[in-house]
Amino acid sequence: MSTMQKLEVFPEPDYSAINVSHTEHAMPISIRLPEEIEHRLNELAARTGRSKTFYATEAILEHLDDLEDLYLAEQRLVDIRTGRSQAASLEEVMRRYDLEN
């Protein structure tokens, strides 16, 4: 156990507005972490008095949108390159959705 001082603990945010909770209604998952990451997570949880689950959920919430954007964009590019989809110019999109001045 670390001899570091505990940080001031703030209440955990209420995730009910975005349908994420730390209750029995949340889906349990199991992940394997590299030893160094697990150590850092344990230290953070111990120093702040919050759970490892709290921080794992925070990390997922923080990065999931970016990961979705990245992987969906990569798939879209594959679809365009293989002819399953077509690209549209900005001008075409503006006309199609009546976004011109």
Side-chain angles (χ1 to χ4, degrees):
M1 180 70 68
S2 174
T3 59
M4 293 183 240
Q5 293 181 324
K6 281 197 173 212
L7 299 176
E8 183 177 356
V9 177
F10 298 100
E12 293 186 8
D14 176 14
Y15 289 110
S16 60
I18 54 174
N19 297 325
V20 175
S21 67
H22 296 278
T23 67
E24 66 277 356
H25 294 47
M27 181 185 73
I29 64 170
S30 176
I31 57 173
R32 296 185 199 285
L33 298 172
E35 191 174 311
E36 174 60 23
I37 300 300
E38 182 181 9
H39 174 73
R40 289 173 60 193
L41 185 58
N42 285 333
E43 284 291 315
L44 180 61
R47 290 178 65 200
T48 62
R50 289 189 167 139
S51 69
K52 292 185 292 184
T53 298
F54 171 81
Y55 288 111
T57 301
E58 285 289 298
I60 291 168
L61 290 173
E62 180 69 25
H63 297 285
L64 188 57
D65 285 341
D66 292 339
L67 290 171
E68 287 172 334
D69 290 345
L70 173 66
Y71 292 118
L72 292 174
E74 287 176 347
Q75 184 57 54
R76 178 84 166 120
L77 182 58
V78 168
D79 290 346
I80 290 169
R81 287 181 174 166
T82 59
R84 290 187 300 238
S85 183
Q86 292 182 344
S89 69
L90 176 59
E91 292 80 17
E92 184 180 341
V93 171
M94 297 288 284
R95 278 192 307 274
R96 184 181 301 166
Y97 294 102
D98 196 28
L99 299 172
E100 296 177 301
N101 293 335

